[in-house]
Amino acid sequence: MINLIYIFLMSIFAGNACTTIDSDITLEVTISGIKKEVGEIRIALYDKDNEFLSEKDINDYRVVPVDGTSVKCKFQVKEAGNYAMALVHDINSNGTMDFNLVGWPKEPYAFSNNPGVWLRAPTFEECAIKVNGNESIVINMK
């Protein structure tokens, strides 16, 4: 699981700009459970399940400064359907996820639907949220 999380987290930082989509469908995300009010939350949005957590299938992403115990951001999605999100709290804003000596993440991370997985990365199905119109979700940092 650690390798999959690392690959995903590194892929979030690969791009330099958010995607602009001409759509009326919005997904508002509230990230709660932030324990340290520093750094930034990096969020990747996926709309395909064939390579969930891979760089090539990131549909959109955001980097949101942390200024409290919760933060909000919005995505415009291209069409109704299933989407999934993966997040990391980059506490020291160094653009990478930090790991301890045995390879476990030192920085908090989370996924949409808040799946309870430990020894493996979650699947797209476990994280998928149905977006039919304007939606609001809450994701809890771990």
Side-chain angles (χ1 to χ4, degrees):
M1 175 179 152
I2 299 306
N3 289 339
L4 289 174
I5 291 173
Y6 179 75
I7 290 168
F8 147 69
L9 294 170
M10 293 308 296
S11 71
I12 287 180
F13 313 118
N16 293 321
C18 298
T19 305
T20 301
I21 297 174
D22 185 22
S23 170
D24 293 332
I25 302 172
T26 61
L27 175 59
E28 182 177 79
V29 183
T30 301
I31 299 102
S32 64
I34 298 171
K35 304 223 182 339
K36 293 187 178 183
E37 297 180 26
V38 296
E40 53 206 17
I41 305 289
R42 295 177 178 263
I43 309 165
L45 176 71
Y46 294 86
D47 67 351
K48 297 177 183 172
D49 62 354
N50 57 344
E51 292 270 350
F52 181 52
L53 303 181
S54 79
E55 178 180 348
K56 73 178 185 174
D57 279 340
I58 293 175
N59 179 269
D60 199 357
Y61 71 93
R62 299 282 184 276
V63 178
V64 183
V66 174
D67 59 3
T69 58
S70 68
V71 296
K72 289 186 178 191
C73 75
K74 284 188 181 182
F75 288 88
Q76 283 187 291
V77 297
K78 60 185 173 185
E79 60 189 9
N82 289 328
Y83 293 85
M85 296 181 155
L87 301 79
V88 63
H89 182 181
D90 185 9
I91 292 171
N92 57 8
S93 299
N94 67 352
T96 63
M97 181 151 196
D98 298 321
F99 295 87
N100 65 19
L101 293 175
V102 294
W104 287 101
K106 290 171 62 176
E107 296 176 301
Y109 60 91
F111 300 94
S112 51
N113 264 353
N114 303 301
V117 293
W118 269 82
L119 298 176
R120 63 172 177 78
T123 64
F124 182 87
E125 291 79 16
E126 291 170 320
C127 298
I129 46 176
K130 184 74 171 171
V131 178
N132 290 318
N134 294 338
E135 304 281 346
S136 296
I137 64 167
V138 176
I139 300 175
N140 301 309
M141 292 304 296
K142 298 184 189 285

